[in-house]
Amino acid sequence: MHSETRTYRTGGEEAVLDLTDDASAFAADRGDGLLHVFVPHATAGIAIIETGAGSDDDLLAALADLLPADDRWRHRHGSRGHGRSHVMPAVVPPYATVPVLGGRLALGTWQSICLVDLNVDNDERTVRFSFLEG
């Protein structure tokens, strides 16, 4: 198994950050296997979605509808509604696994691997890329 971590800055606002290029570079020339992407944070997730056509903004809007940034959350520290960030990984899990064939990600035409971060109080995220040979 090959594994490495990379650090990303998501800024002070909710973000969907496309990791596909970094994931592709990590998997390149590794042959066949599985790429596992994991974010070891209690308030972030990994999604495979289309980006650049509004879907990333739609995901943030859907999460805002499902998990409003208000005072309903029992987990209360940080910015208003921070508790929702701790619930979000139950909806957008902190991992994704993608087949790799001949060193290339076997994603669909419009699929991208994205870091989803609703936590505006923490702008730095670590992502672990692991390759399991097949």
Side-chain angles (χ1 to χ4, degrees):
M1 180 172 82
H2 304 279
S3 187
E4 73 178 45
T5 59
R6 295 187 184 188
T7 302
Y8 297 92
R9 292 206 177 274
T10 54
E13 52 189 59
E14 298 173 359
V16 175
L17 182 64
D18 192 338
L19 306 177
T20 309
D21 288 344
D22 287 348
S24 293
F26 176 76
D29 302 321
R30 294 202 192 269
D32 294 346
L34 296 172
L35 171 68
H36 188 74
V37 182
F38 176 72
V39 57
H41 297 282
T43 59
I46 301 292
I48 297 179
I49 63 168
E50 177 181 7
T51 59
S55 296
D56 37 357
D57 291 332
D58 289 342
L59 175 58
L60 291 176
L63 290 171
D65 288 344
L66 183 63
L67 304 168
D70 58 23
D71 294 327
R72 74 182 68 201
W73 308 101
R74 290 185 183 106
H75 186 102
R76 296 176 188 251
H77 69 82
S79 61
R80 184 172 188 255
H82 176 74
R84 78 189 190 118
S85 296
H86 287 274
V87 173
M88 195 233 7
V91 177
V92 179
Y95 59 86
T97 302
V98 176
V100 177
L101 303 172
R104 297 183 147 198
L105 300 178
L107 290 169
T109 302
W110 303 111
Q111 290 181 315
S112 296
I113 302 169
C114 298
L115 171 64
V116 181
D117 188 3
L118 301 182
N119 185 353
V120 299
D121 297 325
N122 183 357
D123 69 346
E124 186 172 290
R125 297 299 179 175
T126 299
V127 175
R128 176 168 297 280
F129 296 94
S130 300
F131 184 78
L132 304 159
E133 294 181 37

